[in-house]
Amino acid sequence: MTQTKASLLATPALPGDRPVSDAMLNAVAHDLHKELEGISKSLDHLAGAGDDKWLAAKMGFLGVLAGAGVTGLFGIILQSWRLKAEKDADKRRAVREMRKAERDFGLEAMANLQAFRTRQLNEFYGPFRVLLSQIRVLRDEFDHRLLASWKADGGATLKFEGGGRERRLVIKRRDVPARGFRLIDEMAFVKNTYPDLMSTVGEMVSTGDLLADHLHKNGGLLDPRSTWLGAHIAVYLAHQRVLKEIFERAQCNADASWVANYSTVYPRLLDLLIERDYKRLYHSQTRWSAKAARWAEGAD
């Protein structure tokens, strides 16, 4: 009897079988043990009928029980496989749904971000670059016209120093150290000595007003990472306000001989910072667009 029970519990697993829990096996073993005890009692009554009949009956009963036990054990194993397969399928389905949701959310977020960056480029940085370039062209025209019209009265000299973006007009007066020519300081002098140049100055001031108005209206589109650019914009707005005030005062008083004591200096790095931000946003937008295209293809 003990040997039969052990052989049933030690039934070898098929290749690829997954282990059945100990609790399930113990339950099967317990039920089989109870049935075998009942059969053993019945077989004991047959023992007196003769060894051959008793042996034949015993082997027949044991064969039937062994088959039933193995069938029950296989049923448990198959049930375990089925439950595991269903659980794995549910996990795979949940992962697919989660990834699809992430992709859809990512595409929507990327689309919104791209739309905002497009607004930044088209509504803020684009007009900013154009107006700033126009101011730079007008200032370059003013410098060349002033230098061509220069009269060395009183021993004062005027010349360009530096090259590229660093080039600037430098004025040297008698007994005064050479310094960069600042239109804010020299407005009255230009008005009295070179009145024909005031039309160019007026264009510079008007274009500067357009840029200042643009910055006030669309400043919210400035890249929040560009703190240095934001600081230079604040300096520019202060400089433009002072330049406009000095220009208007000079226009009202042709005999003005005063020199304004303003320390505001035009931020010469402003155009470089604008170009840096513009290129960074443009390249970032290009990369996001390429990534969105790849994700969209993956969704097909």
Side-chain angles (χ1 to χ4, degrees):
M1 185 69 62
T2 304
Q3 185 178 10
T4 302
K5 177 182 175 182
S7 64
L8 287 174
L9 296 179
T11 301
L14 293 177
D17 285 355
R18 298 183 180 274
V20 182
S21 66
D22 293 338
M24 297 173 66
L25 289 176
N26 290 335
V28 172
H30 179 74
D31 293 340
L32 289 177
H33 180 68
K34 290 293 186 181
E35 292 183 15
L36 289 175
E37 284 184 349
I39 292 172
S40 296
K41 292 179 181 179
S42 298
L43 291 176
D44 288 340
H45 293 291
L46 296 175
D51 293 340
D52 293 340
K53 292 182 179 181
W54 178 83
L55 181 59
K58 185 173 183 179
M59 293 302 295
F61 276 116
L62 290 178
V64 172
L65 290 177
V70 171
T71 301
L73 188 59
F74 280 163
I76 293 173
I77 293 173
L78 291 175
Q79 178 70 5
S80 175
W81 283 351
R82 185 180 67 79
L83 294 176
K84 183 66 170 63
E86 290 179 354
K87 184 177 181 181
D88 291 343
D90 290 340
K91 284 184 177 179
R92 289 192 295 270
R93 184 165 52 254
V95 169
R96 286 195 301 269
E97 293 176 354
M98 181 181 67
R99 288 177 178 173
K100 182 179 182 301
E102 289 177 348
R103 185 182 65 242
D104 293 343
F105 177 79
L107 287 172
E108 181 180 359
M110 288 168 61
N112 292 335
L113 180 60
Q114 183 176 352
F116 178 71
R117 285 178 171 162
T118 298
R119 286 191 60 201
Q120 286 181 297
L121 291 171
N122 294 340
E123 299 179 23
F124 182 73
Y125 286 97
F128 197 159
R129 294 169 72 227
V130 171
L131 290 170
L132 200 61
S133 177
Q134 185 177 349
I135 292 172
R136 192 164 55 245
V137 169
L138 290 170
R139 179 56 193 256
D140 191 57
E141 177 186 346
F142 171 82
D143 288 347
H144 280 89
R145 289 183 61 189
L146 177 62
L147 187 61
S149 305
W150 185 256
K151 304 171 185 177
D153 296 337
T157 60
L158 186 72
K159 63 179 180 178
F160 279 115
E161 287 188 359
R165 293 181 180 274
E166 298 300 323
R167 190 184 69 172
R168 62 174 182 167
L169 278 178
V170 175
I171 186 171
K172 175 67 174 69
R173 290 188 172 93
R174 184 180 301 173
D175 301 328
V176 178
R179 59 181 178 82
F181 185 91
R182 297 183 69 235
L183 186 55
I184 286 178
D185 293 340
E186 305 292 346
M187 189 72 73
F189 167 74
V190 172
K191 171 66 177 178
N192 291 327
T193 310
Y194 307 101
D196 292 344
L197 297 181
M198 293 301 290
S199 60
T200 303
V201 176
E203 288 295 323
M204 292 169 56
V205 172
S206 297
T207 306
D209 278 347
L210 291 176
L211 179 53
D213 185 61
H214 169 72
L215 294 174
H216 285 303
K217 289 181 178 179
N218 302 293
L221 293 174
L222 172 67
D223 193 328
R225 297 170 295 181
S226 304
T227 54
W228 198 16
L229 175 58
H232 278 68
I233 288 175
V235 174
Y236 170 80
L237 292 174
H239 177 273
Q240 171 61 22
R241 183 174 181 179
V242 172
L243 180 64
K244 182 178 181 180
E245 178 185 347
I246 297 299
F247 173 75
E248 291 175 348
R249 290 173 64 178
Q251 291 291 83
C252 294
N253 184 4
D255 298 327
S257 58
W258 43 260
V259 176
N261 294 317
Y262 289 98
S263 59
T264 307
V265 179
Y266 180 86
R268 298 174 66 87
L269 291 178
L270 186 60
D271 54 342
L272 293 176
L273 295 175
I274 286 293
E275 289 299 317
R276 184 197 66 178
D277 266 28
Y278 183 88
K279 290 179 179 178
R280 182 180 67 213
L281 287 174
Y282 177 80
H283 291 312
S284 178
Q285 183 190 42
T286 302
R287 290 192 298 270
W288 277 105
S289 298
K291 188 172 184 180
R294 291 195 299 271
W295 279 24
E297 291 175 358
D300 296 336

